[in-house]
Amino acid sequence: MAEEKKLFKVTIDNIPVEVEPGTTILNAARKIGGDVVPPAMCYYSKLQGSGGKCRTCLVKVSKGSDADPRPMPKLVASCRTTVMDGMEVANITSPEVLDARKGVVEFLLLNHPLDCPVCDQAGECDLQDLSYEHGAEATRYEFKRRTFEKIDIGDHIKLHMTRCILCYRCVFTADQLTNKREHGVLHRGEASEIGTYIQNALDNDFIGNVIDVCPVGALTDRTARFKNRVWFLKPVDAHRNCENEKCCGKTVLWMRGDEIFRVTARKDKYGEVEDFICDTCRFEKKDVKDWVVEGPRTVARHSVISQGHYVGVHKPQETIKEVMSGRDPKLLMNIHSVSEVNQPKVDLSKIDGPAHSTDFPKLNGVQ
Amino acid sequence: MGRKLLLDKAHIEGIRYYDVYRQNGGYAAAEKALKSMSPDQVTEEVKKSGLRGRGGAGFPTGLKWSFLAKPEGVPRYLVCNADESEPGTFKDRYLMEFLPHLLIEGLLISSYALGANRTYIYIRGEYAWIPDILEEAIRDAHKNGWLGKNIQGSGFDLDIYVQRGAGAYICGEETALIESLEGKRGNPRIKPPFPAVKGLWQCPTVVNNVETLAAVVPILNIGGDEYAKIGIGKSTGTKLISACGNINKPGVYEIDMTISVEEFIYSEEYCGGIPNGKRLKACIPGGSSVPILPANLLLKTAKGEQRMMTYESLNDGGFPTGSMMGSGGFIVLDEDQCVVRHTLSLARFYHHESCGQCSPCREGTGWMKRVLMNIENGKGKMSDIDLLWDIQRKIEGNTICPLGDAAAWPVAAAIRHFRDEFEWHVNNPEEAQRRNFGLAHYADPLPVVAAAAAV
């Protein structure tokens, strides 16, 4: 009989969890889920050696372990610190952590333009979420920002260095997934930039994955840039038998009608790619006939991407004009009358999907 | 007159050459270690001496050595950190330039204690002439059987290599140094694992400062117990101090850590007082990264006791009234010096030297520099002082390596002790601009960066 593995007991924000030795604090928190999970901009569980750089996942270790209960003197990067038995960690329950995180968000946004309205990553940007949840309403930085020209690094990828937060994820991706690394971090300090060595192009089989791992809009898909906003597209799970044996062939097609605007790998709830895909699947298969469509992808309701395409939504069969016997509805509706929608006892957040007139009586207890 | 252990032979003509060094008792400690002591006994002797790392952190050396993992079949390395780049610190340069064999002897003894058969000296790129001196000394040591195979018939093998850095301050941080030595970007590694477990080439490694390794020689010569008797409390032995700034006799001094700060500044044996009879304003006692202390806190501790040149006394048990021994770069400022200007100078340095790996340091150091530039040039607002305080607070302790702390501490201490000077700059913008130290028109090379060439 195999010997039972000893698990470490860890407490994160007063919630206990048991994890295997060697687990990081971040992954232990992910096991609990919810708000106790620290944000991570540079850590990527699928990429070896990533993490520790952005400092957004800093947490306070208030008790080191049962054996050595001393607290750690500084905040630690939860993505790179492994748990000890009896460790106690404070994330959102520590004002010190929240203050430090606010500072990190401010630092990250010093040189990151708030051009979300024109950025291709808007709606699925980790920094956008991070600044919404932990940032301040305004910056105190009064100086010029660093700017770069946009460059095409290869046929399919555009680098907009101005938006880059130097998380190194794309460097690890290129290093670990492709057979030839042609880009990395050049220069030092504030002058650091992602760049290709001597005008090389990124054209390896799996290089498109750098777009998926980029937490911001620094690396974008040239075949899909500016073609549509992500919340207007309908994500659909699909697969194909890819000739590339390293490619899983399982993707998400981002469609409008029957047109495929872009193809990405499938991501888990922490925004991390489940299985990496090859460039052929990503950039060249833009016809529905190339794919076996599995069905609509479930998107977390809080995400802006879920806007407009809930699973199980019922399309009305007739138009208002038809209901109104051909009369123009504008002339018939009194917009000043009190609507049930505005009644405070109606809690819209309890409705699974867009509100429908039949929902209100239900929420009011009327069947 | 203080006791000299490292520089006691520095005055002898030609001491940097093997023959002269040997004739004056050189390599006796190595001979003693190799012929009559086991590696563990050497480590024990260093532990007994209470020697603390002389690179800045002050961690007990013997204890550090005892942390070294010793797995079977895996090589161990000793790396000598000669990347001396802290502004105001220049003591290691003196040792390497004038007493190269003292360092090599120290390396030999330390490598023997640690079981390392290959040792690297990682030297600052700007010390362009010193690698030649070291390499010549290594060649002579080889020729005379102190390096190579089966040293002096002891069965111990050792090779020492000199590696020049490319001139990055961050490469003085031990893990960044290891990365650089491996041929990679000098970015600090995230600890753990510590170098004692996974260091150079993922093998157990000890990184020690030049002065620390050189101090192993007198420890073996006089014995660990005798060495521990010198100094006060946990500040044992002698320490090299590189003194500069507004003093009559700048230079490298060996002190035995029993003298007071006042004695060090004013006595003829050491700094010789302040030129032109000016008053002492402040001092940075341990290299540019440690907090500045105003004169009233420099000579007396918070308890009103005389402040001594020891790790404990300079630290003063607390941050606000104390500073640190650091690497021993002693920078004195007289009454005419502008603290804001000096703080800006340091902020520019740390901004330039940040590796850029983690966001608080990469973005925060530049922000501090720009706010300081505004204040210094009479363009600052009163709220900028509080902003500066807040930025440094958000950098300190939140970065991968101590460079963030090194950038934050000088700013914090300057505001804490000299806030009135910052306020003077804000309240007297015209006068501040008129002073024109050449920084008013200093062109900020960032933030607008030209585009890389497109494919």
Side-chain angles (χ1 to χ4, degrees):
Chain A
M1 206 171 107
E3 200 179 315
E4 204 173 313
K5 243 185 194 172
K6 188 187 180 316
L7 296 176
F8 281 174
K9 281 183 191 157
V10 191
T11 308
I12 302 170
D13 286 338
N14 304 318
I15 302 170
V17 64
E18 288 196 346
V19 292
E20 283 185 15
T23 308
T24 58
I25 296 172
L26 180 76
N27 282 328
R30 283 184 175 183
K31 204 173 170 193
I32 299 170
D35 290 342
V36 302
V37 183
M41 300 295 293
C42 65
Y43 173 75
Y44 211 78
S45 63
K46 313 294 186 296
L47 299 171
Q48 216 181 352
S50 66
K53 295 178 173 61
C54 69
R55 316 305 283 176
T56 55
C57 70
L58 291 174
V59 291
K60 187 177 177 63
V61 177
S62 48
K63 181 186 167 191
S65 66
D66 281 337
D68 182 5
R70 286 177 302 171
M72 289 191 183
K74 292 177 178 179
L75 302 182
V76 297
S78 61
C79 64
R80 292 295 290 263
T81 310
T82 49
V83 296
M84 299 299 284
D85 198 17
M87 185 183 262
E88 286 175 15
V89 179
N91 178 28
I92 52 171
T93 51
S94 164
E96 193 187 340
V97 169
L98 295 179
D99 188 46
R101 198 165 289 156
K102 196 173 173 182
V104 171
V105 175
E106 191 172 21
F107 287 136
L108 286 173
L109 289 173
L110 289 194
N111 279 309
H112 181 93
L114 292 176
D115 62 348
C116 308
V118 295
C119 176
D120 251 18
Q121 190 88 352
E124 46 184 12
C125 170
D126 293 350
L127 188 54
Q128 205 176 20
D129 293 343
L130 184 74
S131 53
Y132 179 72
E133 285 158 15
H134 298 279
E137 65 281 358
T139 182
R140 297 173 292 174
Y141 191 72
E142 294 175 340
F143 304 93
K144 276 196 288 185
R145 267 75 171 170
R146 62 179 200 163
T147 54
F148 295 85
E149 295 292 328
K150 292 183 268 292
I151 53 169
D152 295 331
I153 44 174
D155 294 339
H156 301 303
I157 302 168
K158 191 174 272 288
L159 169 64
H160 197 164
M161 189 54 220
T162 304
R163 292 182 189 140
C164 179
I165 58 163
L166 288 158
C167 69
Y168 286 62
R169 278 184 187 177
C170 62
V171 179
F172 284 115
T173 306
D175 217 12
Q176 292 168 27
L177 291 186
T178 66
N179 52 13
K180 193 171 64 170
R181 182 177 144 195
E182 283 164 336
H183 85 297
V185 177
L186 314 177
H187 313 306
R188 189 175 69 194
E190 203 182 45
S192 303
E193 61 174 294
I194 297 287
T196 54
Y197 297 127
I198 320 171
Q199 301 192 356
N200 273 336
L202 303 185
D203 57 0
N204 282 302
D205 273 2
F206 278 77
I207 200 69
N209 289 297
V210 298
I211 301 164
D212 277 351
V213 301
C214 182
V216 292
L219 290 161
T220 48
D221 181 348
R222 285 180 67 196
T223 64
R225 270 171 73 83
F226 302 127
K227 290 205 172 146
N228 224 312
R229 303 314 313 228
V230 69
W231 53 87
F232 292 141
L233 300 176
K234 190 164 188 160
V236 174
D237 280 345
H239 68 267
R240 63 183 282 271
N241 288 326
C242 183
E243 307 80 48
N244 192 325
E245 55 189 33
K246 274 167 37 187
C247 174
C248 67
K250 290 177 187 167
T251 60
V252 179
L253 309 180
W254 297 79
M255 303 174 72
R256 195 162 187 182
D258 287 336
E259 193 180 350
I260 299 172
F261 278 82
R262 68 169 183 164
V263 180
T264 64
R266 295 182 192 178
K267 290 184 177 180
D268 61 18
K269 64 177 172 176
Y270 297 110
E272 292 182 7
V273 165
E274 289 165 7
D275 275 309
F276 292 105
I277 58 167
C278 71
D279 284 7
T280 310
C281 288
R282 183 186 301 274
F283 298 120
E284 289 166 25
K285 303 293 174 186
K286 295 285 178 83
D287 195 321
V288 184
K289 281 184 279 181
D290 296 327
W291 298 95
V292 178
V293 175
E294 295 166 21
R297 182 166 182 77
T298 310
V299 178
R301 189 161 182 270
H302 78 270
S303 169
V304 70
I305 306 169
S306 69
Q307 175 68 36
H309 41 75
Y310 298 106
V311 177
V313 68
H314 297 291
K315 248 185 180 176
Q317 295 301 307
E318 63 285 296
T319 62
I320 291 173
K321 202 163 184 175
E322 282 165 353
V323 175
M324 296 298 174
S325 313
R327 285 171 294 174
D328 192 340
K330 273 190 284 188
L331 300 169
L332 296 168
M333 287 182 181
N334 181 359
I335 58 166
H336 298 292
S337 64
V338 178
S339 161
E340 280 183 326
V341 178
N342 296 327
Q343 289 181 12
K345 59 186 171 184
V346 176
D347 188 354
L348 288 171
S349 66
K350 287 186 181 162
I351 305 167
D352 187 25
H356 192 263
S357 60
T358 54
D359 290 319
F360 297 103
K362 272 186 222 164
L363 285 166
N364 286 325
V366 182
Q367 291 302 315
Chain B
M1 187 146 171
R3 188 164 176 180
K4 303 271 182 289
L5 295 175
L6 293 170
L7 305 183
D8 58 336
K9 297 180 191 123
H11 63 280
I12 299 169
E13 202 178 332
I15 193 71
R16 70 179 242 204
Y17 300 109
Y18 174 79
D19 293 338
V20 181
Y21 182 74
R22 183 71 175 134
Q23 280 157 21
N24 286 279
Y27 289 100
E31 203 162 12
K32 182 179 168 187
L34 292 173
K35 292 190 174 162
S36 63
M37 294 171 85
S38 70
D40 286 346
Q41 282 172 324
V42 176
T43 305
E44 204 48 45
E45 210 62 32
V46 174
K47 267 189 187 170
K48 271 193 231 166
S49 74
L51 174 69
R52 295 172 67 161
R54 304 300 199 218
F59 192 79
T61 305
L63 194 62
K64 188 173 182 175
W65 287 9
S66 64
F67 290 155
L68 188 75
K70 292 176 178 170
E72 283 294 311
V74 177
R76 283 166 239 153
Y77 294 102
L78 172 66
V79 178
C80 171
N81 186 346
D83 193 76
E84 184 177 52
S85 324
E86 181 94 340
T89 308
F90 44 89
K91 63 186 175 70
D92 292 343
R93 162 186 159 177
Y94 191 88
L95 273 180
M96 290 186 287
E97 191 169 349
F98 297 104
L99 294 154
H101 282 286
L102 180 70
L103 175 61
I104 289 163
E105 190 180 357
L107 284 171
L108 170 55
I109 300 166
S110 309
S111 303
Y112 174 68
L114 296 165
N117 300 113
R118 188 170 286 198
T119 291
Y120 294 91
I121 303 172
Y122 185 93
I123 188 165
R124 178 183 182 191
E126 288 90 335
Y127 285 170
W129 66 102
I130 296 179
D132 294 339
I133 297 172
L134 289 174
E135 275 165 0
E136 186 190 358
I138 289 169
R139 271 197 303 275
D140 288 345
H142 248 290
K143 247 189 268 171
N144 290 282
W146 292 104
L147 290 175
K149 297 274 177 205
N150 192 19
I151 297 167
Q152 304 292 326
S154 65
F156 178 64
D157 308 333
L158 177 67
D159 283 307
I160 299 177
Y161 299 91
V162 179
Q163 173 68 44
R164 295 167 201 233
Y169 170 74
I170 190 62
C171 289
E173 196 278 334
E174 60 175 356
T175 57
L177 187 155
I178 290 170
E179 285 280 295
S180 176
L181 202 52
E182 288 181 359
K184 293 183 252 172
R185 268 174 80 90
N187 282 355
R189 291 179 184 173
I190 294 155
K191 292 187 265 189
F194 290 90
V197 180
K198 280 187 178 177
L200 186 63
W201 315 115
Q202 298 294 304
C203 295
T205 304
V206 165
V207 182
N208 276 145
N209 175 257
V210 169
E211 189 191 341
T212 315
L213 293 163
V216 173
V217 177
I219 288 171
L220 256 69
N221 275 332
I222 65 170
D225 288 328
E226 187 65 24
Y227 188 87
K229 284 179 194 161
I230 307 165
I232 302 168
K234 289 181 181 170
S235 300
T236 61
T238 61
K239 172 89 186 83
L240 293 186
I241 302 286
S242 48
C244 62
N246 302 119
I247 46 174
N248 281 317
K249 289 161 64 185
V252 177
Y253 297 101
E254 186 172 7
I255 59 162
D256 61 7
M257 292 207 266
T258 55
I259 62 165
S260 68
V261 173
E262 190 170 4
E263 188 186 344
F264 184 70
I265 295 175
Y266 290 104
S267 77
E268 276 308 307
E269 190 186 343
Y270 300 109
C271 301
I274 295 166
N276 307 318
K278 287 193 176 154
R279 281 184 302 173
L280 173 70
K281 178 176 188 175
C283 174
I284 301 171
S288 71
S289 62
V290 310
I292 189 170
L293 282 179
N296 59 330
L297 292 176
L298 180 66
L299 305 180
K300 298 265 184 234
T301 64
K303 284 184 186 166
E305 294 164 353
Q306 195 168 42
R307 198 184 288 280
M308 308 299 286
M309 291 289 281
T310 64
Y311 286 89
E312 290 79 20
S313 186
L314 283 170
N315 186 280
D316 204 4
F319 193 61
T321 56
S323 184
M324 288 155 99
M325 171 69 90
S327 58
F330 199 85
I331 308 163
V332 179
L333 309 183
D334 72 18
E335 57 186 316
D336 291 346
Q337 301 304 313
C338 170
V339 171
V340 179
R341 183 192 168 210
H342 281 278
T343 311
L344 168 60
S345 181
L346 296 180
R348 282 173 62 194
F349 173 78
Y350 288 108
H351 170 235
H352 183 261
E353 297 297 339
S354 167
C355 79
Q357 204 183 183
C358 59
S359 32
C361 182
R362 182 183 64 236
E363 308 291 352
T365 50
W367 194 5
M368 283 200 302
K369 180 194 83 172
R370 292 187 185 102
V371 175
L372 272 163
M373 264 173 71
N374 270 359
I375 296 174
E376 164 62 14
N377 293 328
K379 294 172 191 162
K381 304 186 284 290
M382 206 54 92
S383 60
D384 283 346
I385 305 169
D386 295 329
L387 173 65
L388 208 51
W389 178 265
D390 201 46
I391 300 170
Q392 67 79 23
R393 200 174 56 81
K394 287 192 165 134
I395 297 173
E396 192 214 335
N398 293 339
T399 50
I400 294 174
C401 79
L403 194 140
D405 297 345
W409 287 341
V411 174
I415 297 174
R416 182 179 288 122
H417 300 305
F418 296 96
R419 192 180 173 102
D420 54 339
E421 268 191 48
F422 286 82
E423 288 177 0
W424 181 89
H425 281 74
V426 174
N427 291 328
N428 302 280
E430 285 173 8
E431 272 187 74
Q433 282 169 28
R434 245 198 320 274
R435 296 184 321 151
N436 189 9
F437 285 116
L439 290 167
H441 307 293
Y442 163 67
D444 191 354
L446 287 167
V448 182
V449 183
V455 176

